[in-house]
Amino acid sequence: MSPNAFAGAQLTIDLDAISANWRALGARLKNGARAAAVVKANAYGLGISAVAPALYDAGCRAFFVASLDEGIALRSILPDGQIYVFFGPTPKDAAEYSRHRLIPVLNDLGQIETWRARSRGDGGEKAVLQVDTGMSRLGLPPDEVARLAVEPERVAGLDIVYVMSHLACAENSGHAMNGQQLEEFSKALKSLETGSAFAAASLANSSGIFLGPGYHFDLVRPGAALYGINPTPDKPNPMTEVVRLQGKIQQVRSVDSSRSVGYGAAHVVTRPSRIATVPVGYADGYLRSASNQASAHVRGVRVPIIGRVSMDMITLDVTDLPAEFVHPGATVDLIGGPYSIDAFAADAGTIGYEILTSLGLRFRRRYIENGEVREAAE
Ligand SMILES: *Cc1c(COP(=O)(O)O)cnc(C)c1O
């Protein structure tokens, strides 16, 4: 593709920062706990084929993905390392898990039965058992935990490497759900201990790590914090930023007072203004909900997004900037750098997770690795 096809927009992904974040999280853990890396959804949109090897090089050996397809793709990238799959097997696809050495998360008694049928004969198939403590999404509900506690033969022959659950409100450290889920999880662990050797436990996502050592158990499962999203939104971000999206001004025009800008005439200028157009839009994952709400930065100076975000373009009010700052080709910081991903997400009415996983493929992507910049191969 010709460089011009990207219209100059550039997404820089700092793999060194991801590795540093993985190490920083590991350093926070209580003795004996380890950190896996959650790399579902193409490593939160950042490119699993670059992110997973960087994490592996940093020492990470356990990876979580959402689906079987993601697990198979990751296995082709990482021949070693444990790969866990959140969704777990169906009778149709269980054999694929074995073939690619993927460890399923078993989310109900039916999946346990499916995976046991698979392991019959050779035995010792590894699995993670998920119990639901408040998400009501995946994992054994309380009545199934109780059943399993009195019928441990249901997991006979399986090698349950972890019992896990997932926190619903961990980013809000004061939320009562945290303590309630911790208690329910601890009770479930205790009830399942009898009769079978459930070796280890896993509860915390990124934010859960910051709730304290009582939440660490044996394995933590951070995703967002690795990618620079603040796991403690009510405090300064302890993580290193990972992404920076920059565009280039395509055109600058002067408009008279009372002229409208963009679709729906959603913005009307109230003074003679200069408007800069940057070719990045919602088709690139620059969410339309940022219309008239978010900001960009030119040479570190904040400029408001005015009017609606179009499919391929946004418009900035650059009236207050010196003319020599704003010319076609001038760089504009859109996300990251002076404007954190969390700040942009808040202005767009969403969370950093959605911003990351929406960032499109129309950008020129660059990775920073071992201090060097390289263009993405894809
Ligand atoms: C996505 C996910 C994680 C990672 O959560 P973050 O908030 O991104 O750290 C951990 N556990 C489960 C079950 C998940 O689905």
Side-chain angles (χ1 to χ4, degrees):
M1 212 182 289
S2 92
N4 289 336
F6 294 98
Q10 180 163 275
L11 181 66
T12 306
I13 298 162
D14 189 344
L15 298 174
D16 294 341
I18 295 177
S19 302
N21 285 337
W22 188 79
R23 283 190 290 264
L25 291 173
R28 300 191 82 92
L29 301 181
K30 68 163 198 200
N31 271 343
R34 291 188 313 131
V38 179
V39 293
K40 61 195 180 190
N42 195 28
Y44 289 46
L46 300 184
I48 194 166
S49 56
V51 170
L55 285 162
Y56 190 92
D57 288 347
C60 182
R61 291 293 178 272
F63 298 84
F64 282 85
V65 294
S67 68
L68 173 62
D69 286 350
E70 290 179 354
I72 293 172
L74 181 55
R75 180 53 82 208
S76 74
I77 296 165
L78 293 181
D80 303 321
Q82 294 117 43
I83 300 175
Y84 300 93
V85 181
F86 284 132
F87 291 166
T90 65
K92 260 186 160 159
D93 65 20
E96 294 293 305
Y97 280 78
S98 311
R99 184 168 309 139
H100 300 279
R101 291 172 288 126
L102 307 175
I103 304 173
V105 175
L106 305 177
N107 292 295
D108 58 30
L109 292 177
Q111 282 194 327
I112 292 174
E113 191 44 47
T114 298
W115 196 236
R116 255 190 96 207
R118 176 76 224 136
S119 79
R120 212 154 271 155
D122 40 3
E125 291 273 5
K126 286 185 166 47
V128 172
L129 189 67
Q130 175 156 220
V131 301
D132 176 28
T133 57
M135 286 291 283
S136 304
R137 192 176 67 168
L138 293 178
L140 277 71
D143 62 311
E144 292 197 358
V145 175
R147 277 272 283 291
L148 187 56
V150 295
E151 299 170 7
E153 63 277 9
R154 286 176 177 274
V155 289
L158 292 181
D159 179 7
I160 305 289
V161 288
Y162 293 103
V163 177
M164 66 167 271
S165 192
H166 191 44
L167 295 165
C169 306
E171 72 287 352
N172 183 349
S173 61
H175 204 291
M177 272 289 279
N178 296 321
Q180 288 162 16
Q181 285 192 269
L182 178 62
E183 196 184 322
E184 189 168 332
F185 185 54
S186 304
K187 275 193 187 142
L189 290 176
K190 237 184 152 48
S191 76
L192 293 174
E193 252 167 29
T194 44
S196 38
F198 288 122
S202 174
L203 178 63
N205 66 338
S206 298
S207 295
I209 294 170
F210 292 82
L211 294 176
Y215 289 79
H216 294 173
F217 292 91
D218 303 290
L219 185 74
V220 296
R221 307 184 310 271
L226 296 173
Y227 312 118
I229 291 173
N230 187 356
T232 56
D234 48 355
K235 296 201 197 108
N237 191 353
M239 312 314 298
T240 304
E241 284 232 357
V242 170
V243 298
R244 188 159 185 173
L245 178 64
Q246 295 172 307
K248 284 195 175 8
I249 292 175
Q250 177 153 359
Q251 197 175 66
V252 185
R253 68 178 41 193
S254 298
V255 296
D256 289 337
S257 181
S258 84
R259 200 77 171 162
S260 70
V261 181
Y263 285 118
H267 180 88
V268 178
V269 300
T270 54
R271 56 174 179 168
S273 301
R274 277 181 308 135
I275 310 293
T277 299
V278 177
V280 166
Y282 60 77
D284 302 296
Y286 192 96
L287 300 189
R288 190 167 173 278
S289 57
S291 300
N292 271 324
Q293 300 294 327
S295 304
H297 289 74
V298 177
R299 295 208 203 180
V301 181
R302 195 192 81 86
V303 288
I305 309 289
I306 55 166
R308 291 211 181 126
V309 173
S310 314
M311 187 181 291
D312 312 304
M313 279 171 270
I314 54 174
T315 37
L316 314 175
D317 183 348
V318 295
T319 312
D320 294 332
L321 291 188
E324 67 267 28
F325 283 17
V326 283
H327 53 80
T331 297
V332 178
D333 267 299
L334 298 168
I335 301 175
Y339 189 40
S340 75
I341 184 160
D342 295 297
F344 173 73
D347 287 345
T350 183
I351 54 175
Y353 296 65
E354 190 181 24
I355 302 299
L356 281 188
T357 54
S358 300
L359 288 177
L361 295 169
R362 230 174 4 165
F363 307 128
R364 184 201 302 261
R365 283 181 176 231
R366 306 189 309 178
Y367 288 101
I368 300 176
E369 186 163 30
N370 302 322
E372 290 185 6
V373 179
R374 66 174 160 84
E375 299 291 325
E378 312 94 314

